[in-house]
């Protein structure tokens, strides 16, 4: 079965440094222009496109006069700081040529792991997409220490794809997919076009296919595959060597397809339903119960009382007035702010809390009915 990638509505495209920057540390202008042409094509078909782009360190190191070879962590971070500006500028100019708006998003591992920050990052990126911008994501290399770094953008891209419930993650690479052995070393190496399950033998095949600039090689791509497919996101490893790589892919160019388990929204909801311990309880009135059962979000106005000590992003149980558990969801407010706004209209939230919060206590995308 070959899936129809044209049907993917939300696509994350990851671009590695070795595709974007040449050996002299210069941006590959023509290639990036062709890629952004492909992105504009997807946007015009109605797709949400997110780009995860490396290249900051590779672009910044030359400017700072850092010698070739491995950099110390703090040198990479300094190089990223300089290179990020040039990278952002490169995307902004090319997207603008298609009347598209570039949005720079720098995230750390914690932003995709810690629940409150996860919700913030997701809400901001959703808003950018809704407003028609193209988010260009990279790791916030400058502030992350070694323990809290992704270190490679393959896994960052998988986390972003999972966080945003994307349909498809495309890792553009200097090879057109996964081989049974490194193809440049072993003539009998066979290309794998469809991977249903990432078994230990698949992991072993990732071997040593690396490149000059990319920090990960094939191993981090397989780890990314685990994160993405488990979250219900299909992943493709495809070649980005030639111009118009996305167009080529959609026209049938060879790639390795890692099959998603379920779809992104159901996987996320499964995670909310079973994965996390609940920290509190909200009791809601009959009107809100009816609204929830018909697929609506939970507004503060419909909440009668609450218990527990939960933070923004924690799981809470939603009960009807007879204390039947009817749903679970991620609370957009911590318990003490929630206490102040329950029973009130969403338009009064800013006046009560002193900041403009979310209209819903629990958004329907963050809720599962039990
Ligand atoms: N975030 C790093 C950069 O922009 C690259 C990490 C990677 O190569 O995967 O330069």
């Amino acid at each position: 079965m070959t899936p129809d990638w044209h049907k993917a509505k939300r696509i994350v495209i990851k671009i590695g440094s070795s595709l974007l920057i040449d050996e002299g540390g210069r941006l590959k202008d023509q290639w990036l222009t062709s890629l952004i042409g492909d992105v504009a094509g997807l946007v015009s078909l109605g797709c949400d496109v997110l780009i995860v782009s490396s290249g900051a360190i590779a672009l910044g190191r030359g400017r700072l006069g850092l010698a070739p070879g491995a950099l110390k962590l703090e040198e990479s971070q300094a190089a990223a700081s300089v290179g990020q500006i040039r990278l952002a500028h490169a995307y902004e100019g090319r997207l603008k040529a298609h009347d598209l708006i570039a949005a720079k998003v720098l995230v750390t591992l914690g932003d995709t792991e810690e629940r409150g920050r996860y919700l913030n990052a997701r809400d901001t990126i959703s808003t950018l997409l809704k407003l028609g911008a193209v988010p260009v994501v990279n790791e916030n290399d400058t502030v992350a220490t070694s323990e809290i770094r992704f270190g490679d953008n393959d896994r960052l891209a998988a986390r972003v794809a999972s966080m945003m419930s994307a349909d498809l993650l495309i890792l553009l690479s200097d090879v057109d997919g996964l081989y049974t052995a490194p193809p440049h070393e072993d003539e009998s190496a066979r290309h794998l076009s469809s991977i249903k399950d990432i078994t230990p033998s698949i992991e072993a095949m990732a071997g040593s296919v690396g490149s000059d600039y990319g920090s990960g090689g094939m191993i981090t791509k397989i780890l990314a595959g685990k994160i993405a497919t488990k979250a219900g996101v299909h992943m493709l490893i495809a070649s980005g060597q030639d111009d118009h790589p996305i167009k080529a892919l959609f026209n049938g160019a060879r790639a390795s397809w890692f099959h998603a388990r379920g779809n992104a929204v159901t996987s996320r909801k499964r995670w909310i339903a079973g994965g996390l311990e609940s920290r509190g309880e909200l009791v809601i009135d009959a009107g809100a119960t009816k609204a929830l059962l018909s697929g609506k979000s939970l507004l503060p106005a419909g909440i009668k009382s609450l218990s527990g000590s939960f933070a923004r992003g924690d799981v809470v149980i939603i009960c009807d007035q007879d204390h039947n558990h009817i749903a679970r969801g991620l609370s957009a407010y911590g318990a003490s702010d929630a206490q102040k706004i329950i029973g009130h209209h969403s338009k009064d939230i800013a006046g009560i809390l002193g900041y403009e919060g979310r209209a819903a206590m629990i958004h329907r995308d963050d809720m599962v009915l039990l």
Side-chain angles (χ1 to χ4, degrees), residues 14-18 53-59 76 79-80 84 87 137-141 149-156 213-216 220:
K14 186 263 170 177
I15 297 147
S17 304
S18 61
S53 177
S54 309
I57 297 171
L59 278 173
S76 307
Q84 205 62 256
L87 195 60
V137 184
N138 197 352
E139 181 162 22
N140 195 349
D141 293 299
R149 288 192 90 222
F150 282 99
D152 66 85
N153 277 5
D154 294 322
R155 280 178 303 160
L156 169 65
Y213 280 126
S215 48
T220 59

Side-chain angles (χ1 to χ4, degrees), residues 55-248:
I57 297 171
L59 278 173
R61 61 182 298 160
R63 284 286 278 172
L64 288 173
L66 294 164
L71 296 177
K72 291 195 204 116
L73 175 63
E74 58 274 23
E75 288 172 337
S76 307
Q77 294 182 296
S81 165
V82 171
Q84 205 62 256
I85 297 176
R86 305 184 73 199
L87 195 60
H89 192 247
Y91 278 99
E92 136 100 341
R94 283 165 187 81
L95 285 163
K96 200 166 166 201
H98 295 274
D99 279 331
L100 293 170
I101 300 163
K104 185 96 233 190
V105 181
L106 295 177
V107 294
T108 59
L109 187 59
D111 300 325
T112 66
E113 269 185 345
E114 202 250 295
R115 291 196 291 276
R117 276 152 69 194
Y118 169 97
L119 286 188
N120 293 341
R122 206 193 53 188
D123 287 351
T124 306
I125 297 174
S126 298
T127 305
L128 287 168
L129 291 169
K130 234 178 269 159
L131 294 172
V134 177
V136 181
V137 184
N138 197 352
E139 181 162 22
N140 195 349
D141 293 299
T142 310
V143 301
T145 58
S146 51
E147 310 80 61
I148 60 156
R149 288 192 90 222
F150 282 99
D152 66 85
N153 277 5
D154 294 322
R155 280 178 303 160
L156 169 65
R159 283 287 181 90
V160 168
S162 139
M163 178 167 83
M164 299 312 298
S165 305
D167 305 299
L168 176 63
L169 164 64
I170 302 171
L171 300 182
L172 291 179
S173 170
D174 45 11
V175 284
D176 58 2
L178 181 66
Y179 286 77
T180 51
H184 53 274
E185 287 168 19
D186 185 342
E187 273 184 21
S188 68
R190 213 164 35 80
H191 179 267
L192 299 173
S193 58
S194 167
I195 295 108
K196 294 223 165 80
D197 197 10
I198 303 177
T199 58
S201 71
I202 292 288
E203 283 182 58
M205 286 171 199
S208 58
V209 187
S211 67
D212 295 342
Y213 280 126
S215 48
M218 199 47 80
I219 290 165
T220 59
K221 292 186 173 48
I222 301 298
L223 292 174
K226 284 187 164 179
I227 297 168
T229 55
K230 202 170 140 208
V233 182
H234 292 286
M235 186 178 93
L236 289 171
I237 300 179
S239 169
Q241 296 284 48
D242 297 328
D243 288 354
H244 293 293
I246 305 295
K247 210 188 216 171

